[in-house]
Amino acid sequence: MSRATSLAGVLLVVSIGSVSCLSDSPSPDTLKDYETALRRADSLRQAERTLQAATELGRAIALAPEPVAAAVARLRLAELFQRDRLWAAAEAEYRRSLSLDRTPAAHVGLADLLRHEHRFDESVSNYRSAIDLEPNSTQATAGLCRALIDAADTGSAVEACQTASEIEPSNVALRRLLGSALLREERYEEAAVLLLQDADLPASR
């Protein structure tokens, strides 16, 4: 899909989703239509039909029976935009989702985007917010470690990487990340122990 087509999809979703049908007592049909729109969007997203998926998510936002449901749809829309490299639209949807429901997933998604844009202070803040909500999230802790490495805050990066490795000790990728942070901190012997330990192992996902 071309970027121009994707941008047209963004404008379409904004116009559809600008009016919400939130109500205190949503009808069963409204809830059913909301869930159907989410399922269709997921299928279309998997098929990489971005414009159609965005349109269905716009419908879901308009049909959302409560703020939390709207937050779910906006989070998926943000992830869709981010995959299509529509950074500004993705950031806007992450923030709208968080305004409705503060979730670790929305904070991590926004933090990943901000890290991509080299906005490290904001990225670190959002990773930390995700960790506050879900302390054992290796995704958030590993993301924090990467953002701190990118920001050249090596001492804090080592601490974050150690925490991530403690949460999931068998994760090779996290141990390598810790090794990288130790190298940046010029703690060469400790880094060598970790990196040589896993030299012949595939990185965990």
Side-chain angles (χ1 to χ4, degrees), residues 113-140:
L113 184 153
L114 294 167
R115 176 173 163 259
H116 171 83
E117 295 191 331
H118 294 185
R119 293 159 62 184
F120 299 125
D121 288 347
E122 293 175 84
S123 178
V124 165
S125 177
N126 275 278
Y127 284 127
R128 291 196 189 281
S129 293
I131 292 167
D132 287 343
L133 294 168
E134 189 178 341
N136 291 329
S137 170
T138 53
Q139 184 181 13

Side-chain angles (χ1 to χ4, degrees), residues 94-124:
Y94 278 125
R95 294 191 185 281
R96 289 182 182 120
S97 179
L98 285 165
S99 73
L100 295 166
D101 186 29
R102 291 183 63 242
T103 63
H107 275 298
V108 169
L110 178 56
D112 287 345
L113 184 153
L114 294 167
R115 176 173 163 259
H116 171 83
E117 295 191 331
H118 294 185
R119 293 159 62 184
F120 299 125
D121 288 347
E122 293 175 84
S123 178
V124 165

Side-chain angles (χ1 to χ4, degrees), residues 156-202:
S156 298
V158 168
E159 183 179 347
C161 291
Q162 286 174 332
T163 300
S165 294
E166 289 167 4
I167 293 171
E168 197 173 325
S170 63
N171 191 311
V172 175
L174 292 178
R175 288 201 299 273
R176 290 178 180 172
L177 195 58
L178 174 56
S180 177
L182 288 166
L183 282 175
R184 301 289 185 93
E185 189 73 354
E186 298 184 0
R187 293 163 62 176
Y188 300 120
E189 291 186 6
E190 295 170 81
V193 170
L194 279 174
L195 296 174
L196 291 174
Q197 172 187 345
D198 298 324
D200 297 326
L201 295 175

